[in-house]
Amino acid sequence: MGNIRQEVFDNVKLTQKDFEIAKSFCAGFDVNYGDVINIANTTVTAFILKPEEFISDGFGLEKETLLVISYFDSIESRTIQAAEKVFEKYPYKNRVDNLCYFLVSNDQNIESWLKKYYDMSINSKIVFPFSTIELIDNKNNQWFIRERLRKYSFDKDLFGYTLPLQDDRSFFGRQQILGRYIDAIKRCQNRGIFGLRKTGKTSLLFKIKRTIEEQHLGQVLFFDCKHPKIRSQRWFELLNSISKIIAARLGIKNFLTDNEPEKSMSSFQYIMTLASKRKIKIILIFDEIEYISYFSKQNKHWKDDYFEFWQTLWSEQSTFANLCFIICGVNAYVTEKDSIDGIQNPLFGIIQSEYLVGLSLEETSQMIKTLGRRMGLKFAYDCIQFLYEQYGGHPLLTRMACSWINRYLTDESRPLTLSKQQVQEMQKGFDSDPAFYSYFGHVISEIREFYPDEYEMLELLATGQTSDFMELSTSNEFIQHLNSYGLISWKNGIPSISLPVAGRYIAIELAKKEGRKSIYKLIDEKDRLNWLKVRIGIIIESMRNLESNIRSCKKPELYGVNSFPEAEKLINVPVAEDSQTFSIFINMFYKCFVEATINYGKTIQCDDHYLDKTIKSCYPLLYKVFDKIREYRNEQDHILLTSYHKQKLDDYLSEDLESSLENKDKFFCLQQKIIIEFITSIYGESIGIE
């Protein structure tokens, strides 16, 4: 039984009701601190709870945990905002577990309200909700808190968060490189960060930005260069944007500048002069640098503007010692060439670059253990080591694998301990899942596109031609980027691919290219129902995350604020064993996703071509899946097809079916292909929006 410390009782701000609620948590926690806080336009009571050993062992709560109480009769968004801000205040910051907290409200509908709130938002914290009345009614029930912990601890998929991390709660490792970059900023030196896709580069940039701001090192300006608003600007317009932001930060009112090259440069010089006199560092961070470089594929004006923009910044940096910048991207080619088309490359020689490789084994272990124990998953050391060996510490691939494991074990009682053997057996499933498999190619796509000779070296190694690889690798230029990206590891002089999963991808793709026979693998009959339920769950959650991202980026919506309809019925669609069960499946998917999009287009007074114009233009990957569902549904409902739609249907069937398939597997093959393509397209669209 836990206790409330005397220092907490001594706080005169706390009320008798505060103490009554705090005592409810003494069934598993000590109450070490408490206070009443005015924050985010509301007032809350905040306690720090220290879990007893049986709570730590059972639910993975090893650090002190935050308890937030709101006494308003109805819970609102500002209550959540207030709770989130408590984490940033002393003494809670860096003391309490930042992945979860307890939330108590007078609102008896707090659980249902929170579910709706988080269905419409992205949040990686686990919230344990309670109403004040149920805590009071159960004050003598020592199991009540534990049952609520059990209900919510293992429900949230913390591994499934795939967007760049904008706070510290899920940021792991990278401390050494962070220290180097902060030191460089203090000395106003330029830096570059490059690496394979989804290795956490943007998350590191956000961490650098937060650290600069926390340490008051200067004014940091962050530019996501893939954003149309950035990459569509001419070089002098972007320079003006930078000047305006700096002017606003310096408190300069009525600052005006014209969109002309000469005046833009003069305005920037004026602003930097003021910043220099005030001894304020200006740190410019450019993420996705390829989009405003000579090699930009979408905005051709950067082929010339690249030189003007970077020559200007380079020149001004020679004048102002308080200016520095960090650039970040996948392809380091932009800093490696001394000249481009006979013109001196302004970024060559002025940036010290570093490649971001996978997390270390220790960092990977910390990430898996920390997130896993919140979900009731305990990974044995040899299990973590196996995952590290397979995914090379790549943050996203590792988290996606763990997310797959979590989903696969949905029906298992928690907490449970995973062995290496269990994960090895499951790996056959998630590595062959095309929705996951497609990421392997995405991770190494830049190597294939920009360094084809080195990619051929990878093909040699992936197909077991190790001796040929070693012979050719004596010339370092053939493997320079493979080593820099951390794709090659050497043990006792023998090379191997650091990402075995990527190696298998390369080998399979090479087999396709060379015309070697490859047969599509169907899920075993005994596993199909579970496979289907898990994948549909992924579609529902991923689609809602995508909708949230779309709203954040103010792009054309798919369904509006109410999301897609009848999601609860999707879980119960049958495995497609024949024409009838396939018809049930395809009609439900059509109604939930395709017809709902068409109907939304009508509600916003778009014409009947909202799907075939707006959605097709903005979300081409998703549109193809929608179109395929529509064509298959039309066939199943025996709708008379025009020659155009008949040809489309034939093309889709040819793409999805193999002649060797027996008739009894035909319909499940179509179902499996649609499910997999759906998940893959959502991931693809999410990447495009990030």
Side-chain angles (χ1 to χ4, degrees):
M1 189 71 177
N3 297 301
I4 300 177
R5 295 183 64 176
Q6 185 59 45
E7 294 93 320
V8 180
F9 282 117
D10 293 340
N11 190 331
V12 296
K13 294 181 182 179
L14 298 172
T15 66
Q16 186 60 38
K17 192 169 183 179
D18 290 330
F19 289 120
E20 191 174 359
I21 291 174
K23 286 177 183 177
S24 300
F25 288 86
C26 288
F29 298 84
D30 289 322
V31 182
N32 286 348
Y33 183 84
D35 200 4
V36 177
I37 304 173
N38 294 314
I39 195 169
N41 296 319
T42 190
T43 300
V44 296
T45 301
F47 288 102
I48 294 178
L49 309 179
K50 181 182 180 181
E52 294 191 72
E53 186 175 351
F54 70 90
I55 294 290
S56 296
D57 291 342
F59 302 100
L61 299 178
E62 296 181 355
K63 295 180 67 176
E64 292 176 304
T65 307
L66 177 67
L67 163 62
V68 176
I69 307 171
S70 171
Y71 290 116
F72 291 97
D73 291 334
S74 61
I75 187 170
E76 299 179 1
S77 298
R78 62 177 177 175
T79 308
I80 305 300
Q81 294 164 4
E84 296 282 340
K85 287 188 175 296
V86 172
F87 283 89
E88 302 172 8
K89 289 182 66 66
Y90 175 84
Y92 308 95
K93 185 175 182 180
N94 297 326
R95 178 173 171 179
V96 298
D97 191 322
N98 57 17
L99 286 172
C100 61
Y101 65 96
F102 296 100
L103 180 62
V104 178
S105 170
N106 278 353
D107 192 335
Q108 296 185 49
N109 298 314
I110 182 173
E111 287 192 80
S112 58
W113 186 93
L114 273 176
K115 185 180 185 305
K116 292 178 182 178
Y117 179 84
Y118 285 120
D119 282 346
M120 300 298 293
S121 66
I122 297 174
N123 190 290
S124 60
K125 280 187 173 70
I126 296 175
V127 182
F128 305 109
F130 298 86
S131 69
T132 53
I133 191 167
E134 65 180 340
L135 281 173
I136 294 171
D137 289 346
N138 288 275
K139 62 183 178 182
N140 296 321
N141 181 359
Q142 62 177 335
W143 292 97
F144 180 66
I145 300 295
R146 274 177 270 184
E147 288 303 320
R148 189 59 53 87
L149 277 168
R150 185 170 288 109
K151 179 178 180 180
Y152 286 93
S153 286
F154 313 137
D155 187 50
K156 185 90 172 176
D157 185 4
L158 298 178
F159 288 116
Y161 194 79
T162 58
L163 296 177
L165 306 172
Q166 299 199 38
D167 55 44
D168 289 332
R169 60 179 176 259
S170 299
F171 185 87
F172 297 94
R174 311 300 195 193
Q175 295 305 313
Q176 289 187 343
I177 186 172
L178 174 65
R180 289 195 294 273
Y181 274 67
I182 295 301
D183 182 63
I185 288 167
K186 289 178 179 178
R187 292 182 278 119
C188 255
Q189 296 178 345
N190 304 323
R191 287 293 184 269
I193 303 174
F194 298 95
L196 297 174
R197 292 191 182 278
K198 312 302 286 186
T199 49
K201 299 185 297 297
T202 303
S203 296
L204 176 60
L205 291 179
F206 286 150
K207 176 65 175 178
I208 291 171
K209 180 178 181 292
R210 291 195 301 274
T211 305
I212 293 171
E213 292 169 344
E214 289 169 0
Q215 297 185 12
H216 306 291
L217 299 179
Q219 291 293 333
V220 55
L221 284 64
F222 187 99
F223 298 93
D224 180 358
C225 300
K226 71 175 178 296
H227 196 290
K229 184 178 179 181
I230 302 298
R231 59 180 169 80
S232 63
Q233 294 186 82
R234 294 295 309 275
W235 73 270
F236 48 88
E237 292 173 334
L238 179 55
L239 192 64
N240 276 340
S241 297
I242 294 172
S243 298
K244 290 176 182 177
I245 296 173
I246 297 173
R249 298 279 185 89
L250 297 181
I252 302 172
K253 298 181 179 180
N254 301 319
F255 174 78
L256 298 174
T257 181
D258 293 324
N259 279 331
E260 295 180 10
E262 291 295 329
K263 291 182 179 179
S264 297
M265 288 188 287
S266 297
S267 296
F268 184 72
Q269 290 169 353
Y270 170 71
I271 288 297
M272 286 305 304
T273 300
L274 292 179
S276 180
K277 288 180 179 179
R278 299 183 189 182
K279 297 182 179 180
I280 298 174
K281 282 191 178 72
I282 303 297
I283 304 101
L284 308 178
I285 298 180
F286 297 95
D287 193 16
E288 303 282 2
I289 188 65
E290 291 88 354
Y291 286 89
I292 60 168
S293 76
Y294 176 86
F295 308 102
S296 174
K297 295 180 178 180
Q298 290 182 275
N299 300 93
K300 299 301 183 182
H301 63 268
W302 280 103
K303 185 171 185 178
D304 296 319
D305 283 9
Y306 166 77
F307 296 101
E308 302 290 347
F309 181 72
W310 290 107
Q311 283 173 351
T312 299
L313 287 186
W314 179 18
S315 174
E316 298 305 327
Q317 191 175 37
S318 301
T319 303
F320 300 103
N322 61 324
L323 173 65
C324 64
F325 47 85
I326 298 173
I327 65 172
C328 178
V330 176
N331 177 20
Y333 200 70
V334 70
T335 65
E336 294 173 340
K337 298 291 291 182
D338 60 343
S339 64
I340 302 173
D341 286 349
I343 304 173
Q344 183 181 8
N345 181 5
L347 288 180
F348 180 76
I350 69 167
I351 291 178
Q352 183 176 328
S353 296
E354 187 163 350
Y355 285 79
L356 195 66
V357 297
L359 299 172
S360 67
L361 175 58
E362 181 181 355
E363 293 167 340
T364 302
S365 178
Q366 181 191 12
M367 178 181 73
I368 293 175
K369 284 183 175 180
T370 301
L371 299 179
R373 66 173 173 254
R374 304 302 192 286
M375 301 155 61
L377 298 177
K378 296 182 179 180
F379 292 81
Y381 178 76
D382 61 348
C383 174
I384 293 175
Q385 192 169 32
F386 172 74
L387 289 169
Y388 178 75
E389 291 168 353
Q390 291 298 304
Y391 303 103
H394 189 286
L396 179 65
L397 295 182
T398 303
R399 291 174 73 134
M400 289 181 70
C402 292
S403 177
W404 197 98
I405 292 169
N406 174 61
R407 294 174 186 277
Y408 186 82
L409 300 170
T410 298
D411 297 329
E412 298 288 332
S413 60
R414 313 280 179 105
L416 60 89
T417 300
L418 291 164
S419 67
K420 177 181 178 181
Q421 182 179 354
Q422 286 176 293
V423 173
Q424 281 180 314
E425 292 173 355
M426 284 187 278
Q427 189 199 19
K428 299 173 185 177
F430 54 76
D431 275 3
S432 61
D433 187 334
F436 189 18
Y437 175 83
S438 62
Y439 263 96
F440 305 150
H442 181 66
V443 165
I444 58 170
S445 59
E446 292 291 315
I447 297 287
R448 180 170 48 204
E449 182 174 356
F450 289 98
Y451 312 110
D453 291 339
E454 294 184 64
Y455 186 79
E456 288 184 14
M457 293 287 289
L458 276 179
E459 289 179 328
L460 289 176
L461 203 54
T463 53
Q465 301 174 69
T466 307
S467 59
D468 291 344
F469 177 91
M470 294 177 67
E471 181 179 351
L472 292 171
S473 67
T474 53
S475 175
N476 187 56
E477 65 184 69
F478 278 18
I479 61 168
Q480 176 185 349
H481 294 98
L482 303 183
N483 284 325
S484 297
Y485 282 118
L487 278 171
I488 303 298
S489 58
W490 300 78
K491 186 176 182 180
N492 299 324
I494 305 299
S496 62
I497 296 179
S498 301
L499 284 168
V501 290
R504 288 194 288 274
Y505 170 88
I506 293 167
I508 292 171
E509 293 303 305
L510 182 60
K512 293 177 183 177
K513 184 174 72 174
E514 295 176 347
R516 286 183 266 132
K517 191 172 183 180
S518 179
I519 299 175
Y520 183 71
K521 179 179 171 63
L522 288 175
I523 302 299
D524 290 338
E525 287 188 36
K526 61 182 177 60
D527 298 325
R528 289 178 183 177
L529 180 58
N530 182 64
W531 180 90
L532 182 62
K533 286 183 178 297
V534 171
R535 297 310 178 287
I536 289 177
I538 293 173
I539 288 174
I540 292 172
E541 183 175 348
S542 299
M543 184 61 109
R544 284 174 175 159
N545 285 339
L546 176 62
E547 289 182 81
S548 177
N549 296 342
I550 287 172
R551 282 191 292 273
S552 298
C553 296
K554 294 182 170 38
K555 295 191 68 175
E557 295 191 26
L558 296 167
Y559 310 110
V561 296
N562 294 322
S563 191
F564 51 89
E566 301 186 56
E568 69 281 357
K569 293 184 179 180
L570 285 173
I571 298 294
N572 298 316
V573 298
V575 172
E577 299 175 341
D578 50 32
S579 177
Q580 182 179 358
T581 50
F582 179 76
S583 180
I584 294 171
F585 157 76
I586 204 68
N587 270 286
M588 180 56 68
F589 266 61
Y590 175 81
K591 184 175 182 179
C592 286
F593 298 112
V594 184
E595 186 179 70
T597 301
I598 296 172
N599 290 339
Y600 173 68
K602 294 177 181 178
T603 65
I604 58 174
Q605 299 181 339
C606 286
D607 58 29
D608 292 338
H609 299 290
Y610 184 73
L611 175 66
D612 293 313
K613 288 184 179 179
T614 304
I615 301 303
K616 183 177 182 179
S617 173
C618 296
Y619 315 110
L621 299 177
L622 210 53
Y623 172 80
K624 183 187 175 184
V625 183
F626 284 3
D627 189 54
K628 181 179 290 188
I629 291 171
R630 177 170 55 182
E631 297 300 336
Y632 285 161
R633 175 257 186 183
N634 289 343
E635 182 200 28
Q636 288 298 304
D637 284 2
H638 306 291
I639 295 175
L640 184 63
L641 302 179
T642 64
S643 58
Y644 169 76
H645 287 286
K646 180 65 169 64
Q647 183 61 54
K648 285 179 70 175
L649 176 64
D650 290 341
D651 290 342
Y652 283 142
L653 288 170
S654 176
E655 176 181 309
D656 287 345
L657 293 177
E658 295 183 8
S659 58
S660 59
L661 277 173
E662 295 181 12
N663 189 55
K664 68 183 183 68
D665 284 327
K666 167 187 173 182
F667 293 102
F668 179 73
C669 180
L670 292 175
Q671 184 180 42
Q672 180 175 322
K673 286 286 185 72
I674 290 170
I675 291 290
I676 289 170
E677 189 172 345
F678 207 137
I679 296 172
T680 305
S681 68
I682 295 173
Y683 286 156
E685 299 294 2
S686 297
I687 292 170
I689 291 174
E690 291 175 23

